[in-house]
Structure formats: structure tokens, C-alpha cells
Amino acid sequence: MNEKDFLASYNASAYNTPKGLPVDICMFTITSTKKQTVRKVLPTRDIKILLIKRKGHPYKDMWALPGGFSKEEESLYEAAKRELKEETNIGDDVHIEQLKTVYYPGRDKRGWMPTVVYFALVNEKYLQNMQAADDATEAKLFTVEEALSMSLAFDHHDIIQEAYDKIKEKMLTTSIAKEFLEDEFTIAELLQVLQVVVPEFKVEKSNFIRKMVSTETRKGLLEEVRLENGDHKMSDRNSQREARLYQFSDHMPKVSIYNSTLF
Amino acid sequence: MNEKDFLASYNASAYNTPKGLPVDICMFTITSTKKQTVRKVLPTRDIKILLIKRKGHPYKDMWALPGGFSKEEESLYEAAKRELKEETNIGDDVHIEQLKTVYYPGRDKRGWMPTVVYFALVNEKYLQNMQAADDATEAKLFTVEEALSMSLAFDHHDIIQEAYDKIKEKMLTTSIAKEFLEDEFTIAELLQVLQVVVPEFKVEKSNFIRKMVSTETRKGLLEEVRLENGDHKMSDRNSQREARLYQFSDHMPKVSIYNSTLF
DNA sequence: ACAATAGTGTCTGTAAGACATTATGTA
DNA sequence: TACATAATGTCTTACAGACACTATTGT
């Protein structure tokens, strides 16, 4: 059956879910791949998004955001989490946040079809067993750049663009960078992750490393990880020389365009 | 009929709107009232929110957010705007923005009932002819503090709290303060409006007035209004001595917790 | 010894905030 | 002339960014 026949035979009200809403998920991750170099260096990192290939009409065989319908007995948040889990088999330790709800006439050829969009930030370590999840649906990670250059189902291009813009903003104003990092990370890793998502964020690495811990207004944002004996905990995973490890603290500074002092 | 009888007789599916969604609106405004003083001073300003008194069950006679159902032939944004207009009779020149969509089991005694929440920032000058709008429904402005201390219908307390938190954040990181100001405003007015919404934002007025225009990173955020002859346009509406008038420019700086320079 | 990353020293320009002072116009 | 607000002067401390330099360790 082609799409035209499908739409002609489609009974919109049969698909309407009076007690649930369509939920779509923009799942972002940052993959890291080892560089083939003589010495240890930072891995190559890329920001990626999960897409699935549609099995049915409309937009059959096109790539789209994963999603599904929420149920009456679950919250929208729970629905998003469930859908993501069905697709990726990840655990509960995921940052998932509502982006927006979309409806305007004509957004779905089938008629009335809103969608509640969530975005998720998932550490690549949770995506190891993704294939096992559901091999009936073809799911694949694309770089965000790639995804945005493709022709996608529905208005998913615009949704991804908006989700990505949101993440770029939150990357610099909250501590969500931690979702993409190990529990304990070096400042070079932090900077790399920030710049993978927000290339416009330009600072000199050596200054960044120092200022993140030395400047008074930034104190409390990161904590140095210490060993029992009080020494700095170090890692040499990215370099010959060991680097100090850090964690985000609970302290979340706020920012303002009216004076750039954090408070 | 009391609420218990009402719920017993309530047929949820009759109210379900397969082709529309409930939309609620947090409409904020800042009222200004002249102080009774010998000399001209800044008015007293208060951040207020619009509530309506519910005419029917559930939560009959309690204060609640204004809202209604979106239609298939309009976007959610248009629905929010329409609902707000029905309530307040304001024009199209309104900042209205989606906050979030809420559903969790039990949020409405009638069963499945999500809501798409919008917040609106409306200048008080547009609310002059509010009474004319629809005198069947009782609508009233409450200070946000007051509203949050009241017992409200549904989970509207939590929704208002979240909307207010969002506005506080956006107040300091975007130029939405302009929604509450005249087209041309003094820096003292700007600061007052900022502090009415975000009391934690503390700066010394004389420094603020200077730094807003003199500091390099803030240049471009505000523009001095000039007369034809190049002189500063001034106003003495709040003081004996005239103050310079400003406008927000198109330039929107971004902020970061990782370095507090705007870019 | 070299390569690559980690981290420090030092200097310049600018911002934030405290506090004092001057400017302006009306009751 | 008194007063309330507008705006500037001045000073201290701190941050951002540039750039040079040292530190560490595996190959």
C-alpha cells in the first residue's frame, strides 16, 4: 500500500488516544573514539542523536525520532522514560527533560496529532546494549549535523534543531555536561565536551584549567577529587602526564546579562 | 449539586477532546501605583498574576488559572493567545511562551486531563479594558506572593510556582523585562522591574546606571534614545532631575557559568 | 630526546562593587 | 533652600585572555 492509499483509508479517530499523548524523544549522546596515535591523547568526541527508521506510513522508511503514546496510568515523564528504555534498553539513571509540546494544523497528514517532545542526555556507557533492545525497529545514532542535513519524517528536523539549541544553552548555564562525562573527569575532558556541543565557546585551555578552580566566583562549581591521604586523585587516561580529577558539586550558580557576576 | 455527586455523574470520555488539548495560562503583569509623596518618585510596582474564579465543579468557587481547550484548526500557541484574549481583551502585542505540559495520574479528579501551560507577560497598559472582556467569569489580579499562599484549584499552585521560577530566570538572561516597561525607559525603571521580579538581584543603583552603558560587554544590550539633534532623550516622570531614556537593542548576549563574559 | 598534554607565571585591560561627590529641578 | 533622584569620580579587588614557560611521562 502506498502513502496515498494509506491516507485515504486512515481513520483518524481510531488512532486518537483520548487518554494519552504522543511523546517523542530527542536522545543525545556523545560518543568517544580512540585516536590512532603513538601517545595517549583525548579521544575524538561527537554529539549524536538517536533516530529510528519508520516501518509504516506516513513517512515510511524515513528516519524519525523515537516515540510512542503515553498511557493514562503514567506521567508524561514516565512515558518518555519508558519509550526511551524500549528503544535503548538503558536504565533509570538518565537525564530526561521536557522540551515542548507541538501542535499546529497540518503537522501530521493524518490530522490532529500533537506531540510532547522530551530530550534525553545519555552517557555512551549506557548505550552498549542498545542493539539488544528491539531489533524489529532499526535504530541508529547520527551526528547532529548529519541528522539535521537529512530529510526526516514529520517536523522532526525543526524539533531536533530546537532541542539542540536548548541543549547548547543549558550546556553553558547548568551542569548537564556531567551527563556526558565520567563521574570523575579532567578539566580538559570537560572543556572538550563543552566545545563539542557548543563550538562557539572558545577559551584557551591552559587558562580554563586554572580559572575553573582558582577564581572566586567559580569556586564551588567543581570539586577536586581527593584520595584518603589528601592528595589529588589523578588520571593519565588522556595523556602521559597525569591530570587532576574533578566532580561537579551541588552548587549551581546563576547567571545574568545585567552583571556577569555569578550569584 | 456537590462535588461528590458531580464526580459520580461525570462521564470523562464526554469531556475528552480527541482533537484539542486543555491549555492554561499564567498571565503575569507588573502594576505600578503612584506614591503619595511631595516630590516625584518611582511608583510602587508589584508582580501580579491573573486568576479566575471557577464557576463549576470540580474546585467550584476556587481560584484557578484561566484556560480552555485548543481547537484542531489552531496551533497550541494560537489557542493560548485566544484564551488569554477572551479573558483580558488584550491585543496581539503580547509575549506568550510555552512553559510545559503536565499530566500525571490523579492530577484531575475527573480522570485523564493533561494541560499545556503557557505563560504570558503583559504590560499593564493593555489591561485597562479587562473588565469589559467577559463579566460572566470573575477574573482578578493577585500578587504572585498572594496567589502562591492561596489554596488553588488542581495543581495550579505548583504550576504557578514553576512559571514564576522560569520568569525569574528569563528576567536576568533575556530582555523580557521590556514587556513590563514603556517602550523607552530609564535605567532606574529597568532596575526596579528586575528587582520586583527577582529580589535576590542586588546591585547598587548608581553603579548599575553607569555600568549598563559603559561596560564593553554590555554595550549593545541597551541603546540610548536620541533626539533629532543628537541630544539624549530624557524623562522626568520619576524624578525632578531628568533621566536618560533607553531601549533594548536587538543584540542578545549569552551567558555561561564557565566564564562570565558575555558572548 | 621528543611529543603531547598538564599546569604555572606574569602581564594587560577591563569589570564589579564600595563609597563619595556633583548635578538638576521642583516644592 | 531642602530634598530626592540622576549621574560621575575614584579606588580596590578580581577576572579574562594572551603568551611564555615549566612539569611529567611513555615511546
Side-chain angles (χ1 to χ4, degrees):
Chain A
M1 185 158 72
N2 63 24
E3 183 167 307
K4 193 170 165 232
D5 292 341
F6 167 79
L7 286 170
S9 70
Y10 185 87
N11 178 1
S13 58
Y15 278 75
N16 285 327
T17 55
K19 303 201 171 179
L21 281 172
V23 174
D24 286 325
I25 295 144
C26 299
M27 193 221 72
F28 294 94
T29 191
I30 292 185
T31 59
S32 56
T33 51
K34 281 212 181 76
K35 281 208 187 95
Q36 294 306 320
T37 49
V38 179
R39 290 181 184 73
K40 281 184 280 190
V41 294
L42 280 170
T44 302
R45 288 186 214 250
D46 292 288
I47 172 90
K48 300 208 172 155
I49 185 167
L50 181 71
L51 299 178
I52 55 120
K53 190 178 254 181
R54 287 184 58 80
K55 294 296 175 197
H57 291 297
Y59 298 106
K60 189 170 182 312
D61 295 326
M62 287 181 74
W63 292 94
L65 292 170
F69 284 87
S70 79
K71 299 174 181 172
E72 187 179 7
E73 66 273 17
E74 69 186 353
S75 67
L76 293 170
Y77 174 82
E78 287 161 352
K81 214 155 175 171
R82 175 176 55 73
E83 297 290 347
L84 181 59
K85 188 165 189 171
E86 284 170 12
E87 212 61 66
T88 61
N89 201 23
I90 57 170
D92 281 341
D93 195 13
V94 186
H95 181 105
I96 187 163
E97 203 172 323
Q98 194 182 301
L99 178 68
K100 69 181 304 197
T101 299
V102 187
Y103 176 76
Y104 47 86
R107 80 167 291 273
D108 189 313
K109 300 172 186 178
R110 291 166 293 183
W112 165 254
M113 191 67 71
T115 181
V116 185
V117 182
Y118 278 79
F119 65 85
L121 308 178
V122 179
N123 195 297
E124 59 178 335
K125 75 183 173 200
Y126 298 128
L127 296 174
Q128 301 313 324
N129 37 9
M130 213 182 80
Q131 301 302 32
D134 180 0
D135 17 35
T137 58
E138 195 178 346
K140 191 163 169 278
L141 292 176
F142 294 85
T143 66
V144 171
E145 197 188 5
E146 214 179 346
L148 286 172
S149 72
M150 293 160 59
S151 179
L152 301 175
F154 306 104
D155 49 7
H156 288 186
H157 171 94
D158 299 345
I159 289 173
I160 292 170
Q161 182 68 60
E162 195 164 335
Y164 186 49
D165 288 347
K166 178 76 156 207
I167 285 171
K168 287 174 75 165
E169 186 206 310
K170 295 206 90 171
M171 203 73 179
L172 295 184
T173 55
T174 75
S175 60
I176 60 163
K178 67 165 170 279
E179 306 299 334
F180 296 131
L181 292 162
E182 309 277 301
D183 213 48
E184 300 170 349
F185 51 86
T186 68
I187 298 207
E189 290 170 340
L190 168 61
L191 180 57
Q192 191 194 22
V193 163
L194 291 177
Q195 292 185 325
V196 161
V197 182
V198 191
E200 311 91 281
F201 184 74
K202 291 191 171 67
V203 288
E204 223 222 356
K205 181 141 79 174
S206 68
N207 282 333
F208 188 72
I209 287 175
R210 174 180 26 191
K211 301 290 172 64
M212 278 306 295
V213 282
S214 74
T215 51
E216 200 55 43
T217 47
R218 225 89 53 215
K219 285 230 184 90
L221 179 55
L222 295 187
E223 285 170 358
E224 298 172 334
V225 183
R226 301 273 183 175
L227 299 170
E228 301 74 30
N229 62 17
D231 285 358
H232 287 285
K233 189 167 173 192
M234 316 286 282
S235 162
D236 64 351
R237 59 188 178 231
N238 304 314
S239 55
Q240 329 314 317
R241 180 174 171 181
E242 294 197 311
R244 292 186 192 149
L245 290 171
Y246 295 83
Q247 286 184 311
F248 277 98
S249 72
D250 297 331
H251 177 249
M252 185 41 50
K254 290 190 175 45
V255 283
S256 152
I257 57 174
Y258 295 107
N259 77 351
S260 51
T261 301
L262 313 181
F263 68 96
Chain B
M1 185 158 73
N2 64 23
E3 184 169 306
K4 194 171 163 227
D5 292 341
F6 166 80
L7 287 169
S9 70
Y10 185 87
N11 177 1
S13 59
Y15 279 75
N16 285 327
T17 55
K19 303 201 171 178
L21 281 172
V23 174
D24 285 326
I25 295 145
C26 299
M27 193 220 74
F28 294 95
T29 191
I30 291 185
T31 59
S32 56
T33 51
K34 282 213 181 73
K35 281 207 185 95
Q36 295 305 321
T37 50
V38 179
R39 290 183 183 72
K40 282 185 278 189
V41 294
L42 280 170
T44 303
R45 288 186 214 251
D46 293 289
I47 172 89
K48 300 209 173 156
I49 184 166
L50 180 72
L51 299 178
I52 55 121
K53 189 178 256 184
R54 287 184 58 80
K55 293 297 173 194
H57 290 298
Y59 298 104
K60 188 167 180 316
D61 296 327
M62 288 181 75
W63 292 94
L65 292 170
F69 284 87
S70 78
K71 299 173 179 173
E72 188 178 8
E73 67 272 16
E74 69 186 353
S75 68
L76 294 169
Y77 174 82
E78 287 162 350
K81 214 155 176 173
R82 175 176 55 74
E83 297 290 348
L84 181 58
K85 188 164 189 172
E86 284 171 13
E87 212 61 66
T88 61
N89 201 23
I90 57 171
D92 281 340
D93 195 13
V94 186
H95 181 106
I96 187 164
E97 202 172 325
Q98 194 182 300
L99 177 68
K100 69 180 305 197
T101 300
V102 187
Y103 176 77
Y104 47 87
R107 79 167 291 274
D108 189 313
K109 300 172 185 179
R110 292 165 293 184
W112 165 255
M113 192 66 71
T115 181
V116 184
V117 182
Y118 278 78
F119 64 85
L121 308 178
V122 178
N123 194 297
E124 59 178 335
K125 75 183 173 200
Y126 298 128
L127 296 174
Q128 302 312 324
N129 38 9
M130 212 182 81
Q131 300 304 30
D134 180 359
D135 18 34
T137 59
E138 195 177 344
K140 189 161 170 279
L141 292 177
F142 294 84
T143 67
V144 170
E145 197 188 6
E146 214 179 346
L148 286 172
S149 73
M150 292 159 60
S151 180
L152 302 174
F154 307 104
D155 50 7
H156 288 186
H157 171 94
D158 299 345
I159 289 173
I160 292 171
Q161 183 68 60
E162 195 164 335
Y164 186 50
D165 289 346
K166 178 77 154 206
I167 284 170
K168 287 174 74 165
E169 186 206 310
K170 294 206 91 170
M171 203 72 180
L172 295 184
T173 54
T174 74
S175 60
I176 60 164
K178 67 165 168 279
E179 306 299 334
F180 296 132
L181 292 162
E182 308 277 300
D183 212 49
E184 300 170 350
F185 51 85
T186 68
I187 298 208
E189 289 170 340
L190 169 60
L191 179 58
Q192 191 193 23
V193 163
L194 292 177
Q195 292 185 325
V196 161
V197 181
V198 191
E200 311 91 281
F201 184 74
K202 291 191 170 67
V203 289
E204 221 220 357
K205 181 142 80 175
S206 68
N207 282 332
F208 187 71
I209 287 175
R210 172 180 27 190
K211 301 290 172 64
M212 278 307 295
V213 282
S214 75
T215 49
E216 201 55 43
T217 47
R218 225 86 54 216
K219 285 227 184 93
L221 179 56
L222 295 186
E223 285 169 358
E224 299 171 333
V225 183
R226 302 272 183 176
L227 298 170
E228 301 74 30
N229 62 16
D231 285 357
H232 286 285
K233 189 167 175 192
M234 316 286 281
S235 162
D236 63 352
R237 59 190 179 228
N238 304 315
S239 56
Q240 328 315 316
R241 180 174 172 182
E242 294 196 311
R244 292 184 193 151
L245 290 171
Y246 294 84
Q247 285 184 311
F248 277 98
S249 71
D250 297 331
H251 176 250
M252 185 40 51
K254 289 189 175 45
V255 283
S256 153
I257 57 173
Y258 295 107
N259 76 353
S260 51
T261 302
L262 313 181
F263 67 96

